[in-house]
Amino acid sequence: MSQNAMVIVGAGHAGGRAALTLREAGFAGRIILIGDEVHLPYERPPLSKALLKGESTLEACSLFSEAGFIASGIEHLSGVRVTGIDVREQRLTLDNGQQLEYGKLLLAMGGQSRSLDLGGRRFSNVHYLRTVDEAVGLRARLTPGTRLLVVGGGFIGLEVAATARDLGCAVAVLEAGPRLAARALPERLSQTLLNLHRDRGVVVHLGARIESIQGEEALTAVQLASGECLPCDVLLVGIGMQPNLQLAKDAGLETGSGIRVDRFLQTSAPGVFAAGDVCEFPDGEGLLQRQETWRNAETQGRLAALNMLGHQQPISGVAGFWSDHYEFALQTVGALEAGAQVIAREGGDGGFVLLYLNAQQQLMGASGWGRGNSVAKDIKLCERLIESQVMLPVTQLADANVSLKGLLRGAHV
């Protein structure tokens, strides 16, 4: 094959978006998208919500239709794994023995769910949730009356807990830490989440440590260090993910918490880029970070494609994510620094927005909670205020009657 081919390893959201962007940007050569799943690229957020509940389908979650994919001329090598990269020869080796040469290469392999230590035992009713096939398998078990035990009080675990309650399951959540989603959320949002889930009938155990497990073919109960024994019909493990780094490490690429890139998403090897969950990149101040969000996969997939074509566009924009629980949603944008001055804007129906200011009274980040999309507009305005870096009046920020849009408009006077 031609050495001018654009090859993408990883057919998830970031890889799929990159392939589409290459075509949209006018690249007419070969694009080869390699993935170990058999499905076309899809978005992951619905897996724990609409798709798991049966309100959505794989087709609705996919980045493009089968017909659109065929029309794009992108070659999809599905159910295939890359076993080696020779960056000097610009060649890949696949698990079927085939070798492919590339002109430019994008690594967007994502990650895999962290495993719960079960003492080497395997149980038929222990589930993880990272792929659409895992979502389909879990959905079949979430019938009314099923006792679901969730290990991990992060977003995946809590979103599944909410979905399972809506489906009529009895749900308990085990969180090892002192509060829910502590690494991502401020204490007020953690407490709000806890209150909501308990109000909806979820039994939440904080500071929980598993002492032992019971069962033969299926796991039937979990014994906690506190002495409490929790029976279950289904156990979901939601204790985070680990990026797929081994391929990059074996190829000699620089890695840290992810595949390390510069501000153009270029790795330490010429012509090799990385994007999405697997990518460790510098922020505006040069500090390295890795993000596991829809927004990161979407924006970096696009940016990587453009830079593979030589556009040399640096990473920009503000980080952010959202999470849905029952009819409520939380959203964050920017940096929620522990030492920041925090201003609360109280809204109706229990909603609120927390604003994070630096010593110069500039907005660094914001987090919000509300029914439906009630805080989406404010969070979007906060994103623009973060980008403006204007000094903000604290007293006006705390007054929900003072429009954030007006403060933004004043920033450009």
Side-chain angles (χ1 to χ4, degrees), residues 119-155:
R121 302 167 67 186
R122 296 176 64 87
F123 297 96
S124 61
N125 60 339
V126 173
H127 290 255
Y128 294 83
L129 183 57
R130 187 160 178 85
T131 69
V132 68
D133 291 338
E134 289 174 335
V136 170
L138 178 61
R139 174 65 184 90
R141 291 181 175 269
L142 297 183
T143 54
T146 295
R147 296 170 298 179
L148 171 68
L149 184 59
V150 178
V151 180
F155 296 124

Side-chain angles (χ1 to χ4, degrees), residues 108-315:
M109 296 91 70
Q112 54 192 307
S113 299
R114 291 189 181 277
S115 299
L116 181 67
D117 183 5
L118 297 173
R121 302 167 67 186
R122 296 176 64 87
F123 297 96
S124 61
N125 60 339
V126 173
H127 290 255
Y128 294 83
L129 183 57
R130 187 160 178 85
T131 69
V132 68
D133 291 338
E134 289 174 335
V136 170
L138 178 61
R139 174 65 184 90
R141 291 181 175 269
L142 297 183
T143 54
T146 295
R147 296 170 298 179
L148 171 68
L149 184 59
V150 178
V151 180
F155 296 124
I156 290 295
L158 293 174
E159 288 173 0
V160 171
T163 296
R165 286 297 295 145
D166 286 343
L167 292 171
C169 300
V171 182
V173 173
L174 305 182
E175 168 53 45
R179 58 186 180 89
L180 298 176
R183 286 180 292 180
L185 296 180
E187 188 169 352
R188 181 172 175 182
L189 265 175
S190 291
Q191 187 62 47
T192 301
L193 265 180
L194 177 63
N195 294 343
L196 174 66
H197 280 276
R198 283 179 169 169
D199 286 346
R200 298 304 168 89
V202 178
V203 179
V204 181
H205 300 261
L206 299 176
R209 186 168 65 84
I210 296 175
E211 185 72 23
S212 63
I213 52 178
Q214 300 174 13
E216 296 299 329
E217 180 182 341
L219 191 151
T220 57
V222 169
Q223 180 86 30
L224 301 183
S226 64
E228 190 169 2
C229 186
L230 305 176
C232 71
D233 302 309
V234 180
L235 186 139
L236 172 75
V237 181
I239 55 176
M241 63 82 78
Q242 50 193 10
N244 291 323
L245 297 180
Q246 197 57 53
L247 185 64
K249 288 181 176 179
D250 292 345
L253 300 182
E254 186 178 355
T255 61
S257 67
I259 302 173
R260 194 160 289 172
V261 298
D262 63 16
R263 62 196 186 103
F264 304 106
L265 298 178
Q266 168 79 53
T267 72
S268 58
V272 181
F273 297 77
D277 291 356
V278 78
C279 171
E280 184 185 63
F281 61 95
D283 64 13
E285 298 180 355
L287 300 176
L288 294 172
Q289 60 179 298
R290 192 173 59 78
Q291 295 179 9
E292 302 165 15
T293 67
W294 179 94
R295 178 185 290 206
N296 189 58
E298 177 74 11
T299 58
Q300 287 195 351
R302 291 183 184 276
L303 184 62
L306 295 175
N307 288 343
M308 290 168 76
L309 296 173
H311 288 225
Q312 284 294 93
Q313 292 188 14
I315 297 169

Side-chain angles (χ1 to χ4, degrees), residues 10 19-20 26 60 202 217 236-237 251 266-267 318 332 336 353 364 382 393:
L20 285 170
V202 178
E217 180 182 341
L236 172 75
V237 181
Q266 168 79 53
T267 72
V318 182
T332 79
L336 311 183
V353 176
M364 298 186 300
C382 286

